Amino acid sequence: MHDISLYIVHDMKKPFAKFRTRALQLAVLLSLPFAVFAAHEDKEHAFTVGKNMQVFNEIYSYLDLMYVDTLDADEVVGTAINSMLRSLDPYTVYYPEDEVNNLRMMITGRYVGIGSVIRYNQKLKRVVIDEPYAGNPAAEVGLKKGDIILSIDDSTMTDKTVSEVSSKLRGDAGTTFVLKVMRPSTGKEMEFRITRRSVDMPAVPYYGLTRDSIGYLNLTSFTEDCSKDVRRAFVDMKNKGMKGFVLDLRGNGGGSLSEAVNIVNMFVPKGITLVKTRGKLKRANNDYVTSVEPIDSVMPVVVIVNGESASASEITSGSLQDLDRAVVIGTRTYGKGLVQLPVDLSYNGQLKLTTGKYYIPSGRCIQAINYRHARGGYTEHIPDSLTKVFHTAGGREVRDGGGIKPDLEVRPDSLPNIAYYLTVSGLDSTEVLLDYEIDYIASHPTIAAPGEFEISDADYEEFKQRVVKSGFTYDPESERALNTLKKIVKFEGYYDDAKTEFEALEKKLKHNIARDLDMHKEMLKDIISNDIVAAYYFQAGAVENSLKHDKQVKEAFRLINTPAEYNAILDGTYKQEAKEQEEEKD
């Protein structure tokens, strides 16, 4: 779900009949004599389109008739379609009938299955349960993190990929199957009878109030009706005395444009034009205007974003920024200013089609990349020097292109290279982290509440010893960079003069797993604790646990508790550079 090509902006309530009609008209006209077609379109363009369509049909006809091997039409033509679309942009995607459910899941956040993340265990070469979702079949029957999937009904799964196992776990709502697993902590094989049902991926996995009455809400996607969930959560916290609100959009790749408009409308008055979409067809253009009175138009609001906040996340954060209604903090967003519409195709396929760009209240479009279609397609990043200045409602300068630049830049702590190799699935063949977490869970029937739990120093020492003994290795960036530099210096003939210095540096940078684990102890403890909490308290617990050590969230809370600074940012008198220099002196 983190593939950027999956991020959609669309209005699900908009009828698409006129787009289908247009496509059918074009298909019919292409089959008519050129003279008739020319009466409807520019002659030169129409001729070029017709010629290439005819040539393509002829080529495939000859391939099908005469090529040495029998061709699979779905595969060959599908490859041609996908190659054509790749030359346009990463968001225009063709979904044949057997993949349409993937598109529907992205739009609605729903699918039919058991409600669990699965992953491939590199050490066992098996697909395993990774994270069941609260309130769904996998969790209800008692599946646990690390359970090895052996079979589904009579089909063996021990030689299957994650994709193959996933397709077998999904099916029609109400159908029942027998899932056979082996629990690694006991070595016992277990059978579970599971009934598939509609699984709702939670758009709001967690919300809650801090001790000083600041509300926090984590929004992971803009799926259908997510604005209702946000509204309910906001009202609930407001009724409990909330005095400030933090909306976390980090990692949120977007979704429904109309849901974004509904969320912004919670904080700004009725009758404001938030988004304008503009494309080739004027009848496809739309203006999205706030339609109801806000829930709260004065409470301090902070929105947290990062480089994975895209499309509808950028509409939400950018609109609130343009209207001076919220302070945006974090790091610059992805920069997706394009709009897609799903269009029905023949034989139950669908095309997710880029139809235009969107513009937020200041009039800017924040698209960061220009997609060029010549030479099979290529991209051009828009440099900051070519962006244009726009102004917020209060007169602050903002720029187009390159995403939403936060009002207050707050960078997260970087992930150490050793942590990256230990935690990213597929990089560690020993699976030492997963094995440790499975054993910890098996030996601890209960743990502390999500906001309090963390593994002890003794627990971490046990984990460290396991890693050292497991044979775990990783590629340190410093060592790689040094080796690259050595090759360059040798090529240029300077190595002999610098040999002593290189040897001394190599000794200092020598790979030492135990030392690296000690150096990054606190961050690794946080990662392990968060994984363990998820096994007991699911997604909500994991989010709550992560807030204890989240640098950006802490800054959002601090900002709400510092009204003078919050207001100075919104009225344009705040200077982050001056504050950073002052902090350095202190």
Side-chain angles (χ1 to χ4, degrees), residues 242-303:
M242 176 170 59
K243 68 178 186 181
F245 178 60
V246 175
L247 175 61
D248 190 347
L249 298 179
R250 291 174 297 176
N252 185 326
S256 169
L257 186 155
S258 58
E259 294 296 326
V261 170
N262 291 340
I263 289 173
V264 176
N265 195 176
M266 290 170 53
F267 309 104
V268 301
K270 179 180 179 180
I272 294 178
T273 300
L274 294 183
V275 184
K276 295 180 179 180
T277 62
R278 297 293 183 265
K280 184 186 294 183
L281 294 177
K282 289 185 178 181
R283 60 188 174 189
N285 296 338
N286 281 294
D287 291 355
Y288 293 82
V289 182
T290 53
S291 57
V292 297
E293 295 301 332
I295 301 175
D296 193 306
S297 60
V298 296
M299 182 182 293
V301 177
V302 174
V303 183

Side-chain angles (χ1 to χ4, degrees), residues 503-518:
E503 289 175 348
L505 190 55
E506 282 176 341
K507 288 180 181 178
K508 289 185 178 181
L509 298 179
K510 189 174 181 181
H511 199 35
N512 186 320
I513 296 290
R515 181 194 63 190
D516 294 345
L517 288 168
D518 286 336

